[in-house]
Amino acid sequence: MRISVLGCGRWGSFIAWYLNSIGHDTVLYGRPHSASMAAFLNNRTNGMVTLPERLALSTDLSMAVGHGEVIVISIGAQNLRSFLKDLLNAGYQKKQPIVLCMKGIEDGTGLRLSEVAAEVLGIDAPIAIWVGPGHVQDFTAGIPNCMVIDSLNKDLKYHLVHAFSSDLIRFYYGSDLIGNEIGAASKNVIGIAAGMLDGAGVSSLKGALIARGPREISRLIEAMGGQGITAYGLGHLGDYAATVFSPYSHNRAVGEAFIKKEGYRQLAEGIATASAITLLSKRYGVEMPICTGVNAVLSGKMEAGVLLSGLFMRSLKEEF
């Protein structure tokens, strides 16, 4: 299969490496001014993945779009809308399936990324998502994991699962697009909360975070028309080890750095997602003390100590 991976960050470049390694004719696209693409063009590595010569590199979006029978997108979630407009101008055809490999919700609108894609490309565009746990460093070390592909288009979903599966990544068929998108995005907010606990020196409270986080996410998923149980699947709870505990997690690192009042270089998706989740919490009338609390702390409306005491010393009540 001819596949174009658009976005040459650490996850996009891994996806290109992975799909090429299992036999697909793959092109990796990066913007002409991208430092990541410059590194690949110079020596074919970014320090985490080394791309073989058979994997084509391109800074020409029209060329990349024209190559792909399937278009895989891995860019910052908040840039998706403008990038999809570029995609249309580069010759995208609606027969080309789009696979979204980012985890986020559009800030300001509260739209899921598949909804953003449908708005820009048309509701008949074939759109799928790829979510679940795993870090590039683990995969390239040969450590396998399980992930999920979901889509409203059942034929597309089954086709992609079979085409993308290998001994390194076992894909499951998703059955709840709303739940998987909301769950995958919001786990980054939980990751920031976990980092805040690390920064405050109370990492033992991660157990409570892991117990309560999926519960509030499940309430939102249900209010939006999805299945609450999806919050306990691979897209959300199943991704916690890679987000709540891992030293590779940008979101956890950002939360820790914020509490310690240290600067952080990497922008984490969970920051914008916390704002978007707060919007959805209000829109659907769902109480979400962890996610809205994280947003309040990040936006300077609440002290971290107030958040922690509010979350873990709330009024006495039944657990379930």
Side-chain angles (χ1 to χ4, degrees), residues 245-311:
F245 297 103
S246 174
Y248 302 135
S249 170
H250 281 173
N251 291 283
R252 191 211 60 78
V254 163
E256 182 175 5
F258 188 91
I259 294 301
K260 291 181 176 180
K261 301 186 185 304
E262 299 172 351
Y264 46 90
R265 295 181 180 178
Q266 298 288 348
L267 181 61
E269 289 280 15
I271 296 174
T273 302
S275 175
I277 288 285
T278 298
L279 184 156
L280 292 175
S281 172
K282 294 176 181 177
R283 179 179 296 171
Y284 290 94
V286 178
E287 184 183 14
M288 305 184 71
I290 298 172
C291 292
T292 58
V294 167
N295 183 61
V297 171
L298 292 173
S299 60
K301 297 177 181 178
M302 181 188 296
E303 292 294 329
V306 174
L307 170 63
L308 296 179
S309 63
L311 287 177

Side-chain angles (χ1 to χ4, degrees), residues 89-104:
N89 292 330
Y92 168 75
Q93 304 293 317
K94 287 185 181 179
K95 65 181 180 180
Q96 296 171 284
I98 298 288
V99 185
L100 302 175
C101 298
M102 311 91 75
K103 301 168 183 178

Side-chain angles (χ1 to χ4, degrees), residues 7 9 22 36 49 54 96 102 121 128 132 147 156 169 180 190 210 212 251 260 303:
I22 62 173
S36 297
V49 293
R54 66 177 181 273
Q96 296 171 284
M102 311 91 75
L121 303 179
M147 305 189 82
L156 174 60
I169 302 179
N180 275 313
I190 302 298
I210 291 171
R212 301 312 306 166
N251 291 283
K260 291 181 176 180
E303 292 294 329

Side-chain angles (χ1 to χ4, degrees), residues 3 12 27 45 64 100 116 146 150 152-153 161 182 246 254 281 306:
I3 300 176
V27 168
T45 185
L100 302 175
V116 174
C146 301
D150 207 344
L152 295 177
N153 184 324
V161 165
I182 294 297
S246 174
V254 163
S281 172
V306 174

Side-chain angles (χ1 to χ4, degrees), residues 114-128:
S114 68
E115 293 178 308
V116 174
E119 273 197 3
V120 178
L121 303 179
I123 59 173
D124 55 338
I127 299 165

